[in-house]
Amino acid sequence: MSALETPNRLVLQAITTPLENDESGRTLIVLQDYTRMRRLETVRRDFISNVSHELRTPLASLKALTETVQESALDDPPAARRFLDRMTVEIDNLTQLVQELLELSRIESGRVPLERAPIAPKDLLQPAAERMRIQAERSGLTLTVETPDDLPRVNVDAGRMEQVLVNLIHNAIKFTHPGGAIHIRAWRQDNDVILAIADTGVGIAEEELQRIFERFYKADRARSGGGTGLGLSIARHLVESHGGRIWAESEPGKGSTFYISIPALT
Ligand SMILES: Nc1ncnc2c1ncn2[C@@H]1O[C@H](COP(=O)(O)OP(=O)(O)O)[C@@H](O)[C@H]1O
Ligand SMILES: [Mg+2]
């Protein structure tokens, strides 16, 4: 029995057995393709190591903050309050990580049934924008929505699509400096409706445009403001399960635009 790994990483297992009672000395060879299984093992190992890393960071902060309060800040209530506030932030980050992990695992195993119904694009974009408006304004950003009334409807799970859009707008807010703008649009292109969220933010390097949709990928850890790096991979799963597509274009330093295309109902 032997496992063979060729340069293009095909993993095969060969089992050879001399045929019993066979005078010609013939041998039975069974080849099994383990490529997919080996790849799944690697994905699983990377996943666990990413989760562990993402858990360790907030836990280490919580430990340090707790020790600081225990050792010195108890006699200094204003300082103690500041440390407790920072602990709350770390706990919120942990909670978000766990929620997004559960969400991703539910979606990936197909346990999220879509409740699809025809809806006008503006009825998707406007509620998502309104949910994020206060947060955008607090960050010193303008948020505008432009959706023609005569667009064809799309057959989607409105709650799920709104979740995707809120995620994209939230990213736009996080990665755009005060004074910037977020512009949300929809239009028809052939048999699809395109939804676009454009920002005037920090942008994404060309070589990272594909990778940002991977689980845990963050282009610049320092800038990502406590995110988990799971938002876009959840968004991609949800869009693709609607038969749609999601992608991004960007010019570093100028801004990014995220696009979603969904088949139009005719
Ligand atoms: N609008 C944007 N502008 C610049 N970079 C972005 C934008 N949206 C996403 N990114 C990059 O893609 C990464 C992954 O995004 P996401 O999966 O939502 O994770 P998170 O928001 O938790 O960091 C972000 O960390 C960031 O580097
Ligand atoms: Mg995000």
Side-chain angles (χ1 to χ4, degrees):
M1 210 191 272
S2 66
L4 181 76
E5 206 159 332
T6 60
N8 60 1
R9 306 194 79 77
L10 194 64
V11 183
L12 298 174
Q13 176 175 276
I15 302 170
T16 61
T17 323
L19 287 179
E20 268 176 49
N21 308 327
D22 186 281
E23 261 129 54
S24 68
R26 282 184 296 181
T27 301
L28 177 70
I29 302 177
V30 178
L31 279 178
Q32 275 176 307
D33 185 348
Y34 276 95
T35 315
R36 195 178 132 75
M37 206 187 276
R38 185 63 69 83
R39 201 180 58 234
L40 287 178
E41 264 169 37
T42 312
V43 168
R44 206 178 59 111
R45 209 173 316 122
D46 288 353
F47 181 72
I48 290 173
S49 107
N50 276 323
V51 173
S52 315
H53 174 85
E54 293 297 323
L55 288 171
R56 236 189 350 244
T57 312
L59 285 174
S61 305
L62 279 171
K63 177 86 177 158
L65 289 164
T66 314
E67 281 171 1
T68 314
V69 173
Q70 277 172 338
E71 282 159 17
S72 52
L74 275 182
D75 311 322
D76 180 355
R81 194 161 297 123
R82 269 200 319 278
F83 287 118
L84 288 174
D85 286 344
R86 283 172 54 193
M87 290 164 77
T88 307
V89 171
E90 296 297 343
I91 290 168
D92 288 346
N93 287 344
L94 276 171
T95 308
Q96 192 193 347
L97 174 64
V98 172
Q99 268 167 359
E100 291 189 353
L101 280 171
L102 283 174
E103 171 87 351
L104 192 62
S105 111
R106 269 202 302 265
I107 294 172
E108 286 189 341
S109 62
R111 273 178 292 151
V112 176
L114 295 178
E115 289 171 26
R116 302 175 76 147
I119 186 168
K122 74 168 181 347
D123 294 330
L124 289 173
L125 291 178
Q126 269 160 3
E130 288 327 306
R131 264 174 71 186
M132 299 308 286
R133 184 171 301 285
I134 299 217
Q135 206 175 327
E137 282 166 4
R138 267 205 209 120
S139 304
L141 305 170
T142 61
L143 180 63
T144 46
V145 186
E146 184 188 334
T147 48
D149 282 327
D150 58 351
L151 285 179
R153 293 189 299 171
V154 288
N155 187 31
V156 299
D157 185 321
R160 289 293 174 177
M161 281 313 282
E162 191 174 316
Q163 180 190 352
V164 170
L165 293 165
V166 162
N167 243 306
L168 295 180
I169 300 168
H170 187 229
N171 279 346
I173 294 173
K174 267 204 306 194
F175 297 105
T176 305
H177 296 301
I182 299 171
H183 189 54
I184 302 172
R185 282 186 305 145
W187 67 92
R188 181 186 191 140
Q189 192 168 301
D190 303 325
N191 296 322
D192 293 326
V193 170
I194 315 277
L195 312 175
I197 289 115
D199 65 54
T200 57
V202 297
I204 304 158
E206 167 84 42
E207 64 275 15
E208 290 180 315
L209 281 175
Q210 299 290 326
R211 303 213 57 198
I212 52 171
F213 294 96
E214 292 171 12
R215 296 192 294 204
F216 294 110
Y217 191 83
K218 295 183 236 173
D220 182 340
R221 283 174 179 266
R223 261 196 331 233
S224 79
T228 60
L230 291 172
L232 285 178
S233 60
I234 293 175
R236 186 177 63 179
H237 271 292
L238 286 174
V239 170
E240 289 178 354
S241 65
H242 281 91
R245 229 160 51 79
I246 181 169
W247 70 99
E249 289 172 4
S250 182
E251 202 175 325
K254 292 254 167 72
S256 314
T257 305
F258 282 77
Y259 300 91
I260 294 173
S261 78
I262 308 186
L265 281 178
T266 41

